[in-house]
Protein backbone atom coordinates (compact mmCIF):
# COMPACT_ATOMS: atom_id res chain seq x y z
CA UNK A 1 0.00 0.00 0.00
CA UNK A 2 1.31 3.47 -0.95
CA UNK A 3 0.21 6.38 1.25
CA UNK A 4 0.74 9.97 0.13
CA UNK A 5 0.52 12.78 2.72
CA UNK A 6 -0.19 16.41 1.87
CA UNK A 7 0.95 19.28 4.09
CA UNK A 8 1.12 22.97 3.29
CA UNK A 9 0.80 25.31 6.24
CA UNK A 10 2.40 25.56 9.67
CA UNK A 11 -0.38 23.84 11.67
CA UNK A 12 -0.26 20.79 9.34
CA UNK A 13 3.29 19.83 10.22
CA UNK A 14 2.79 18.85 13.87
CA UNK A 15 -0.29 16.82 12.86
CA UNK A 16 1.41 14.93 10.03
CA UNK A 17 4.63 14.14 11.93
CA UNK A 18 3.17 11.46 14.24
CA UNK A 19 1.09 9.86 11.46
CA UNK A 20 4.18 9.57 9.25
CA UNK A 21 6.04 7.93 12.14
CA UNK A 22 3.24 5.52 12.99
CA UNK A 23 2.83 4.41 9.37
CA UNK A 24 6.62 4.11 8.92
CA UNK A 25 6.64 1.78 11.92
CA UNK A 26 4.14 -0.41 9.99
CA UNK A 27 6.63 -0.54 7.10
CA UNK A 28 4.31 1.14 4.59
CA UNK A 29 5.50 3.03 1.50
CA UNK A 30 4.97 6.76 2.00
CA UNK A 31 5.31 9.95 -0.04
CA UNK A 32 5.25 13.44 1.47
CA UNK A 33 4.04 16.39 -0.61
CA UNK A 34 4.45 19.99 0.61
CA UNK A 35 2.26 22.40 -1.32
CA UNK A 36 4.46 25.38 -0.39
CA UNK A 37 1.49 27.35 1.02
CA UNK A 38 3.85 28.35 3.82
CA UNK A 39 7.40 28.90 2.57
CA UNK A 40 9.32 31.16 5.00
CA UNK A 41 11.97 29.14 6.84
CA UNK A 42 10.42 30.26 10.15
CA UNK A 43 6.96 28.99 9.05
CA UNK A 44 8.05 25.70 7.50
CA UNK A 45 11.63 24.42 7.40
CA UNK A 46 12.37 24.80 11.10
CA UNK A 47 9.29 22.72 11.91
CA UNK A 48 10.46 19.84 9.71
CA UNK A 49 13.78 19.87 11.57
CA UNK A 50 12.37 20.08 15.08
CA UNK A 51 9.61 17.53 14.44
CA UNK A 52 12.10 15.09 12.88
CA UNK A 53 10.06 14.87 9.68
CA UNK A 54 11.50 13.54 6.44
CA UNK A 55 12.15 16.17 3.76
CA UNK A 56 9.16 16.42 1.38
CA UNK A 57 9.51 14.24 -1.72
CA UNK A 58 7.80 17.00 -3.69
CA UNK A 59 7.33 20.72 -3.05
CA UNK A 60 4.66 22.27 -5.24
CA UNK A 61 5.92 25.80 -4.45
CA UNK A 62 2.51 27.46 -4.71
CA UNK A 63 3.25 30.32 -2.30
CA UNK A 64 0.77 33.03 -1.31
CA UNK A 65 -2.18 34.45 -3.22
CA UNK A 66 -5.89 35.03 -2.96
CA UNK A 67 -7.80 32.01 -1.65
CA UNK A 68 -9.04 31.14 -5.13
CA UNK A 69 -5.69 31.47 -6.86
CA UNK A 70 -3.78 29.65 -4.12
CA UNK A 71 -6.31 26.80 -4.13
CA UNK A 72 -6.36 26.67 -7.94
CA UNK A 73 -2.55 26.45 -8.12
CA UNK A 74 -2.59 23.52 -5.70
CA UNK A 75 -5.33 21.78 -7.71
CA UNK A 76 -3.41 22.03 -10.98
CA UNK A 77 0.01 21.14 -9.59
CA UNK A 78 -1.12 18.38 -7.22
CA UNK A 79 -3.15 16.56 -9.89
CA UNK A 80 0.04 15.93 -11.89
CA UNK A 81 1.76 14.46 -8.82
CA UNK A 82 -1.12 12.12 -8.04
CA UNK A 83 -1.23 10.89 -11.65
CA UNK A 84 2.53 10.32 -11.59
CA UNK A 85 2.80 8.67 -8.20
CA UNK A 86 -0.49 6.70 -8.14
CA UNK A 87 -1.00 6.48 -4.35
CA UNK A 88 -3.63 4.15 -2.87
CA UNK A 89 -4.58 6.64 -0.15
CA UNK A 90 -3.99 10.37 0.28
CA UNK A 91 -3.93 11.72 3.84
CA UNK A 92 -4.86 15.39 4.38
CA UNK A 93 -4.67 17.36 7.64
CA UNK A 94 -6.70 20.08 9.34
CA UNK A 95 -8.53 22.84 7.52
CA UNK A 96 -6.15 24.92 5.42
CA UNK A 97 -6.45 25.64 1.69
CA UNK A 98 -3.95 22.85 0.92
CA UNK A 99 -6.25 20.36 2.69
CA UNK A 100 -9.37 21.04 0.64
CA UNK A 101 -7.48 21.38 -2.64
CA UNK A 102 -5.80 17.98 -2.25
CA UNK A 103 -9.07 16.30 -1.25
CA UNK A 104 -10.81 17.73 -4.31
CA UNK A 105 -8.10 16.50 -6.69
CA UNK A 106 -8.32 12.99 -5.25
CA UNK A 107 -12.09 12.82 -5.34
CA UNK A 108 -12.05 13.66 -9.07
CA UNK A 109 -9.41 10.98 -9.75
CA UNK A 110 -11.13 8.33 -7.64
CA UNK A 111 -8.27 8.15 -5.11
CA UNK A 112 -9.29 7.49 -1.52
CA UNK A 113 -8.85 10.31 1.01
CA UNK A 114 -8.26 10.14 4.76
CA UNK A 115 -8.94 13.37 6.69
CA UNK A 116 -7.09 13.80 9.97
CA UNK A 117 -8.88 16.27 12.29
CA UNK A 118 -12.27 15.74 10.69
CA UNK A 119 -15.62 16.89 12.06
CA UNK A 120 -14.67 20.20 13.68
CA UNK A 121 -17.25 22.92 13.08
CA UNK A 122 -17.40 26.57 14.13
CA UNK A 123 -20.70 27.02 12.23
CA UNK A 124 -19.25 30.29 10.91
CA UNK A 125 -18.89 30.19 7.15
CA UNK A 126 -17.19 33.57 7.05
CA UNK A 127 -14.08 31.65 8.23
CA UNK A 128 -12.24 30.21 5.22
CA UNK A 129 -11.29 27.20 7.36
CA UNK A 130 -14.94 26.29 8.00
CA UNK A 131 -15.62 26.02 4.26
CA UNK A 132 -12.45 23.94 3.89
CA UNK A 133 -13.62 21.59 6.68
CA UNK A 134 -17.12 21.11 5.29
CA UNK A 135 -15.93 20.33 1.77
CA UNK A 136 -13.02 18.11 2.83
CA UNK A 137 -15.23 16.00 5.08
CA UNK A 138 -17.82 15.47 2.34
CA UNK A 139 -15.06 14.19 0.03
CA UNK A 140 -13.25 11.92 2.51
CA UNK A 141 -13.40 8.15 2.86
CA UNK A 142 -11.91 7.95 6.36
CA UNK A 143 -12.75 10.73 8.82
CA UNK A 144 -10.49 10.73 11.88
CA UNK A 145 -11.97 12.95 14.59
CA UNK A 146 -10.23 14.30 17.70
CA UNK A 147 -13.30 14.21 19.98
CA UNK A 148 -16.91 12.92 20.01
CA UNK A 149 -18.40 16.32 19.08
CA UNK A 150 -16.71 15.82 15.70
CA UNK A 151 -18.49 12.48 15.19
CA UNK A 152 -21.78 14.10 16.10
CA UNK A 153 -21.28 16.94 13.57
CA UNK A 154 -20.43 14.48 10.81
CA UNK A 155 -23.42 12.22 11.49
CA UNK A 156 -25.69 15.29 11.40
CA UNK A 157 -24.28 16.12 7.95
CA UNK A 158 -25.13 12.66 6.68
CA UNK A 159 -21.66 11.09 6.70
CA UNK A 160 -21.94 7.29 6.95
CA UNK A 161 -21.03 6.21 10.51
CA UNK A 162 -18.68 3.47 9.24
CA UNK A 163 -16.39 6.17 7.79
CA UNK A 164 -16.00 7.98 11.14
CA UNK A 165 -13.25 7.06 13.62
CA UNK A 166 -12.77 8.94 16.89
CA UNK A 167 -9.02 8.50 17.34
CA UNK A 168 -8.04 11.49 19.50
CA UNK A 169 -5.76 14.41 18.81
CA UNK A 170 -2.61 13.92 16.73
CA UNK A 171 -1.31 17.38 17.62
CA UNK A 172 -1.25 16.25 21.24
CA UNK A 173 0.81 13.20 20.13
CA UNK A 174 3.51 15.63 19.02
CA UNK A 175 3.17 17.72 22.17
CA UNK A 176 3.53 14.68 24.42
CA UNK A 177 6.62 13.50 22.54
CA UNK A 178 8.40 16.85 22.41
CA UNK A 179 7.41 18.60 25.65
CA UNK A 180 10.54 17.30 27.42
CA UNK A 181 12.65 19.06 24.74
CA UNK A 182 10.74 22.37 24.83
CA UNK A 183 13.02 25.32 25.48
CA UNK A 184 11.92 28.97 25.74
CA UNK A 185 13.60 31.77 23.80
CA UNK A 186 16.15 33.65 25.92
CA UNK A 187 15.75 36.96 27.66
CA UNK A 188 12.05 36.89 28.57
CA UNK A 189 10.55 37.80 31.96
CA UNK A 190 9.71 34.90 34.29
CA UNK A 191 5.99 35.78 34.36
CA UNK A 192 4.24 36.87 31.18
CA UNK A 193 1.08 36.57 29.09
CA UNK A 194 1.48 35.07 25.60
CA UNK A 195 -0.43 36.43 22.60
CA UNK A 196 -0.91 35.18 19.04
CA UNK A 197 -3.22 36.76 16.45
CA UNK A 198 -3.45 36.05 12.75
CA UNK A 199 -7.10 35.52 11.73
CA UNK A 200 -8.51 37.91 9.14
CA UNK A 201 -11.35 38.75 11.56
CA UNK A 202 -8.78 40.16 14.01
CA UNK A 203 -5.96 41.52 11.90
CA UNK A 204 -7.65 42.75 8.71
CA UNK A 205 -9.85 45.37 10.40
CA UNK A 206 -7.55 48.28 11.41
CA UNK A 207 -10.00 49.86 13.90
CA UNK A 208 -10.54 46.56 15.73
CA UNK A 209 -6.84 45.66 15.67
CA UNK A 210 -6.03 49.06 17.20
CA UNK A 211 -8.50 48.61 20.06
CA UNK A 212 -7.34 45.05 20.64
CA UNK A 213 -3.72 46.23 20.88
CA UNK A 214 -4.92 48.93 23.30
CA UNK A 215 -6.46 46.25 25.55
CA UNK A 216 -3.25 44.19 25.35
CA UNK A 217 -1.36 47.32 26.36
CA UNK A 218 -3.61 47.53 29.45
CA UNK A 219 -2.79 43.90 30.30
CA UNK A 220 0.92 44.75 29.91
CA UNK A 221 0.54 47.26 32.80
CA UNK A 222 0.11 44.23 35.11
CA UNK A 223 1.94 41.46 33.30
CA UNK A 224 4.46 41.60 30.43
CA UNK A 225 2.87 40.51 27.12
CA UNK A 226 4.93 38.39 24.70
CA UNK A 227 3.68 38.45 21.09
CA UNK A 228 5.28 36.19 18.44
CA UNK A 229 3.72 37.68 15.32
CA UNK A 230 2.60 35.76 12.21
CA UNK A 231 3.91 37.30 8.93
CA UNK A 232 0.42 38.45 7.90
CA UNK A 233 -0.06 40.19 11.26
CA UNK A 234 3.30 41.96 10.91
CA UNK A 235 2.30 43.11 7.42
CA UNK A 236 -0.99 44.52 8.72
CA UNK A 237 0.74 46.34 11.59
CA UNK A 238 3.31 47.81 9.21
CA UNK A 239 0.61 48.87 6.74
CA UNK A 240 -1.20 50.64 9.58
CA UNK A 241 2.03 52.31 10.68
CA UNK A 242 1.77 50.68 14.12
CA UNK A 243 4.86 49.78 16.07
CA UNK A 244 3.25 47.29 18.47
CA UNK A 245 6.33 47.10 20.66
CA UNK A 246 6.20 50.76 21.61
CA UNK A 247 2.55 51.67 21.11
CA UNK A 248 1.13 48.80 23.16
CA UNK A 249 4.20 47.92 25.27
CA UNK A 250 4.32 44.40 23.88
CA UNK A 251 7.41 42.18 23.57
CA UNK A 252 7.23 41.47 19.85
CA UNK A 253 8.98 38.30 18.60
CA UNK A 254 9.48 36.64 15.21
CA UNK A 255 7.31 33.54 14.51
CA UNK A 256 8.70 30.94 16.92
CA UNK A 257 9.85 27.40 16.13
CA UNK A 258 7.79 24.55 17.60
CA UNK A 259 9.91 23.76 20.68
CA UNK A 260 10.24 27.43 21.64
CA UNK A 261 6.53 28.11 21.19
CA UNK A 262 5.62 25.03 23.21
CA UNK A 263 7.81 26.27 26.09
CA UNK A 264 6.28 29.76 25.76
CA UNK A 265 2.81 28.24 26.23
CA UNK A 266 3.81 25.90 29.04
CA UNK A 267 5.45 28.70 31.06
CA UNK A 268 2.85 31.45 30.40
CA UNK A 269 0.55 32.74 33.15
CA UNK A 270 -2.15 32.93 30.48
CA UNK A 271 -2.50 32.85 26.69
CA UNK A 272 -4.63 35.11 24.48
CA UNK A 273 -5.04 33.82 20.93
CA UNK A 274 -7.25 33.33 17.89
CA UNK A 275 -5.49 30.11 16.86
CA UNK A 276 -7.19 26.72 16.68
CA UNK A 277 -4.30 24.59 17.87
CA UNK A 278 -3.40 26.87 20.77
CA UNK A 279 -6.84 26.26 22.29
CA UNK A 280 -6.02 22.54 22.38
CA UNK A 281 -2.41 22.81 23.51
CA UNK A 282 -3.23 25.15 26.42
CA UNK A 283 -6.01 22.81 27.54
CA UNK A 284 -3.57 19.89 27.58
CA UNK A 285 -0.98 22.00 29.42
CA UNK A 286 -3.55 23.36 31.89
CA UNK A 287 -2.76 27.00 31.03
CA UNK A 288 -5.69 29.50 30.97
CA UNK A 289 -6.58 30.48 27.39
CA UNK A 290 -8.68 33.47 26.29
CA UNK A 291 -9.80 32.99 22.71
CA UNK A 292 -10.35 36.24 20.83
CA UNK A 293 -13.10 34.83 18.62
CA UNK A 294 -16.89 34.68 18.71
CA UNK A 295 -16.98 30.91 18.18
CA UNK A 296 -14.82 27.84 18.26
CA UNK A 297 -14.71 24.60 16.31
CA UNK A 298 -13.12 23.06 19.41
CA UNK A 299 -15.89 23.32 22.06
CA UNK A 300 -14.39 20.53 24.15
CA UNK A 301 -11.61 22.94 25.17
CA UNK A 302 -14.28 25.25 26.62
CA UNK A 303 -16.41 22.50 28.18
CA UNK A 304 -13.61 20.42 29.72
CA UNK A 305 -10.49 22.52 29.29
CA UNK A 306 -9.06 25.92 30.17
CA UNK A 307 -10.43 27.85 27.20
CA UNK A 308 -12.91 30.76 27.31
CA UNK A 309 -14.27 32.64 24.30
CA UNK A 310 -14.03 36.39 24.87
CA UNK A 311 -15.07 37.29 21.33
CA UNK A 312 -14.93 40.99 20.51
CA UNK A 313 -15.70 41.99 24.05
CA UNK A 314 -12.63 43.77 25.41
CA UNK A 315 -14.25 44.17 28.81
CA UNK A 316 -14.63 40.37 28.97
CA UNK A 317 -10.95 40.09 28.01
CA UNK A 318 -9.86 42.45 30.81
CA UNK A 319 -12.11 40.73 33.38
CA UNK A 320 -10.89 37.28 32.38
CA UNK A 321 -7.27 38.40 32.75
CA UNK A 322 -8.12 39.74 36.23
CA UNK A 323 -9.71 36.38 37.14
CA UNK A 324 -6.58 34.51 36.08
CA UNK A 325 -4.35 36.90 38.02
CA UNK A 326 -6.56 36.46 41.10
CA UNK A 327 -6.05 32.70 40.80
CA UNK A 328 -9.67 32.01 39.91
CA UNK A 329 -9.55 29.87 36.74
CA UNK A 330 -11.02 26.44 36.30
CA UNK A 331 -8.52 23.58 36.05
CA UNK A 332 -8.76 21.39 32.95
CA UNK A 333 -10.03 17.82 32.95
CA UNK A 334 -8.08 15.27 30.95
CA UNK A 335 -9.67 14.89 27.51
CA UNK A 336 -10.30 11.28 26.50
CA UNK A 337 -7.93 10.01 23.77
CA UNK A 338 -5.66 13.07 23.94
CA UNK A 339 -2.99 10.71 25.15
CA UNK A 340 -0.14 10.73 22.64
CA UNK A 341 -1.37 7.66 20.74
CA UNK A 342 -3.87 9.02 18.21
CA UNK A 343 -1.56 8.42 15.24
CA UNK A 344 -1.13 4.77 16.19
CA UNK A 345 -4.92 4.40 16.12
CA UNK A 346 -5.03 6.02 12.67
CA UNK A 347 -2.32 3.68 11.39
CA UNK A 348 -4.21 0.67 12.73
CA UNK A 349 -7.43 1.72 10.97
CA UNK A 350 -5.71 2.41 7.64
CA UNK A 351 -3.75 -0.82 7.76
CA UNK A 352 -6.78 -2.93 8.48
CA UNK A 353 -9.08 -1.28 5.94
CA UNK A 354 -6.83 -0.96 2.88
CA UNK A 355 -6.03 -4.20 1.13
C1 LIG B 1 -3.15 29.69 7.06
C2 LIG B 1 -4.46 28.94 7.22
C3 LIG B 1 -4.96 29.11 8.67
C4 LIG B 1 -3.90 28.72 9.66
C5 LIG B 1 -2.63 29.52 9.39
C6 LIG B 1 -1.53 29.17 10.34
C7 LIG B 1 -5.90 28.87 5.23
C8 LIG B 1 -7.16 29.35 4.66
N1 LIG B 1 -5.49 29.47 6.36
O1 LIG B 1 -3.43 31.07 7.23
O2 LIG B 1 -6.08 28.26 8.85
O3 LIG B 1 -4.36 28.98 10.98
O4 LIG B 1 -2.22 29.25 8.04
O5 LIG B 1 -0.42 29.97 10.11
O6 LIG B 1 -5.29 27.97 4.68
N2 LIG B 1 3.07 34.53 4.53
C9 LIG B 1 4.42 34.74 4.64
N3 LIG B 1 5.22 33.63 4.71
C10 LIG B 1 4.74 32.36 4.68
C11 LIG B 1 3.35 32.18 4.57
C12 LIG B 1 2.54 33.27 4.50
O7 LIG B 1 4.91 35.85 4.65
O8 LIG B 1 5.53 31.40 4.77
C13 LIG B 1 2.19 35.71 4.46
C14 LIG B 1 1.83 36.06 3.04
O9 LIG B 1 1.77 37.43 2.91
C15 LIG B 1 0.45 35.51 2.88
C16 LIG B 1 -0.11 35.64 4.28
O10 LIG B 1 0.99 35.43 5.14
O11 LIG B 1 -0.27 36.18 1.93
C17 LIG B 1 -1.19 34.64 4.55
O12 LIG B 1 -0.75 33.32 4.27
P1 LIG B 1 -1.82 32.18 3.88
O13 LIG B 1 -1.12 30.89 3.68
O14 LIG B 1 -2.70 32.67 2.79
O15 LIG B 1 -2.76 32.09 5.13
P2 LIG B 1 -2.44 32.19 6.71
O16 LIG B 1 -2.95 33.48 7.21
O17 LIG B 1 -1.02 31.84 7.01
Amino acid sequence: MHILHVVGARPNFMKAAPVLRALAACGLRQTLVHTGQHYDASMSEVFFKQLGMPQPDVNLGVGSGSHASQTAEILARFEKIVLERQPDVVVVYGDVNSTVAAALVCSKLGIKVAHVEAGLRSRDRSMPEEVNRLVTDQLSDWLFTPSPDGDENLRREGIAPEKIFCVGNVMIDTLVRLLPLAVPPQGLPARYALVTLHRPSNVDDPAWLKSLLGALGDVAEHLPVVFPAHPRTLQRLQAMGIDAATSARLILLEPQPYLQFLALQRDAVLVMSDSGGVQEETTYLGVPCLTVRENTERPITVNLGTNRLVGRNLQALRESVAEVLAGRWRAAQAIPLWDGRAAERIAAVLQSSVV
Side-chain angles (χ1 to χ4, degrees):
M1 184 188 2
H2 175 198
I3 301 198
L4 186 152
H5 304 258
V6 181
V7 294
R10 184 170 62 176
N12 289 157
F13 308 138
M14 45 293 246
K15 295 168 193 168
V19 181
L20 282 156
R21 291 166 77 88
L23 289 167
C26 303
L28 296 178
R29 178 175 165 215
Q30 303 192 76
T31 299
L32 179 59
V33 175
H34 190 325
T35 64
Q37 177 175 346
H38 283 175
Y39 44 85
D40 286 353
S42 65
M43 297 293 283
S44 178
E45 201 183 308
V46 68
F47 287 84
F48 276 72
K49 283 204 189 106
Q50 290 197 340
L51 299 169
M53 286 170 76
Q55 282 306 304
D57 299 286
V58 180
N59 192 320
L60 301 177
V62 297
S64 301
S66 69
H67 283 269
S69 63
Q70 188 179 59
T71 307
E73 282 299 328
I74 302 170
L75 288 174
R77 298 184 194 192
F78 183 58
E79 184 184 47
K80 292 197 182 76
I81 303 300
V82 175
L83 289 171
E84 240 170 68
R85 306 257 173 166
Q86 293 290 328
D88 299 300
V89 178
V90 168
V91 187
V92 298
Y93 297 86
D95 55 15
V96 301
N97 288 342
S98 301
T99 311
V100 70
L104 191 52
V105 166
C106 295
S107 75
K108 300 279 185 181
L109 295 176
I111 307 273
K112 294 217 184 279
V113 177
H115 184 204
V116 175
E117 199 186 84
L120 299 187
R121 295 292 180 267
S122 65
R123 305 202 160 70
D124 173 2
R125 290 200 188 182
S126 71
M127 283 179 79
E129 294 81 4
E130 182 71 355
V131 177
N132 294 344
R133 292 181 201 114
L134 281 159
V135 175
T136 304
D137 284 340
Q138 282 298 325
L139 301 178
S140 295
D141 300 280
W142 291 270
L143 297 102
F144 295 113
T145 64
S147 47
D149 52 288
D151 300 39
E152 186 61 41
N153 291 331
L154 294 172
R155 282 197 295 265
R156 213 178 300 131
E157 289 167 18
I159 306 281
E162 59 271 20
K163 291 184 180 177
I164 305 170
F165 301 87
C166 189
V167 291
N169 192 323
V170 286
M171 216 180 49
I172 300 299
D173 289 10
T174 295
L175 187 159
V176 168
R177 180 169 71 91
L178 292 178
L179 192 58
L181 303 181
V183 27
Q186 289 183 340
L188 294 179
R191 281 173 57 79
Y192 58 86
L194 176 67
V195 176
T196 80
L197 296 170
H198 73 282
R199 294 219 172 268
S201 59
N202 280 326
V203 305
D204 288 359
D205 171 354
W208 167 248
L209 184 54
K210 264 194 186 136
S211 22
L212 190 49
L213 288 174
L216 296 177
D218 295 345
V219 174
E221 302 276 347
H222 308 283
L223 187 66
V225 173
V226 176
F227 185 6
H230 185 286
R232 74 175 280 139
T233 308
L234 280 180
Q235 284 165 14
R236 296 299 184 270
L237 292 172
Q238 275 157 11
M240 288 161 57
I242 293 179
D243 175 1
T246 52
S247 65
R249 299 172 297 278
L250 309 180
I251 303 170
L252 207 57
L253 303 180
E254 297 285 305
Q256 291 296 299
Y258 182 76
L259 294 174
Q260 281 71 17
F261 189 70
L262 196 51
L264 278 174
Q265 289 187 86
R266 177 195 63 199
D267 300 342
V269 174
L270 67 108
V271 178
M272 295 172 274
S273 178
D274 57 10
S275 154
V278 167
Q279 297 172 58
E280 301 179 333
E281 289 168 339
T282 48
T283 272
Y284 186 87
L285 295 167
V287 175
C289 179
L290 313 182
T291 296
V292 190
R293 287 175 43 190
E294 301 286 349
N295 49 53
T296 179
E297 60 290 323
R298 293 163 162 93
I300 200 159
T301 62
V302 174
N303 298 333
L304 299 183
T306 54
N307 188 21
R308 179 184 293 175
L309 298 181
V310 294
R312 282 189 161 235
N313 184 341
L314 294 177
Q315 192 51 27
L317 180 80
R318 289 190 188 90
E319 285 170 13
S320 298
V321 171
E323 268 182 63
V324 174
L325 294 179
R328 298 195 312 268
W329 202 261
R330 197 184 61 187
Q333 292 175 39
I335 308 231
L337 302 179
W338 291 22
D339 58 358
R341 312 197 63 175
E344 288 171 30
R345 291 187 276 270
I346 290 173
V349 171
L350 287 179
Q351 244 198 331
S352 69
S353 46
V354 181
V355 190

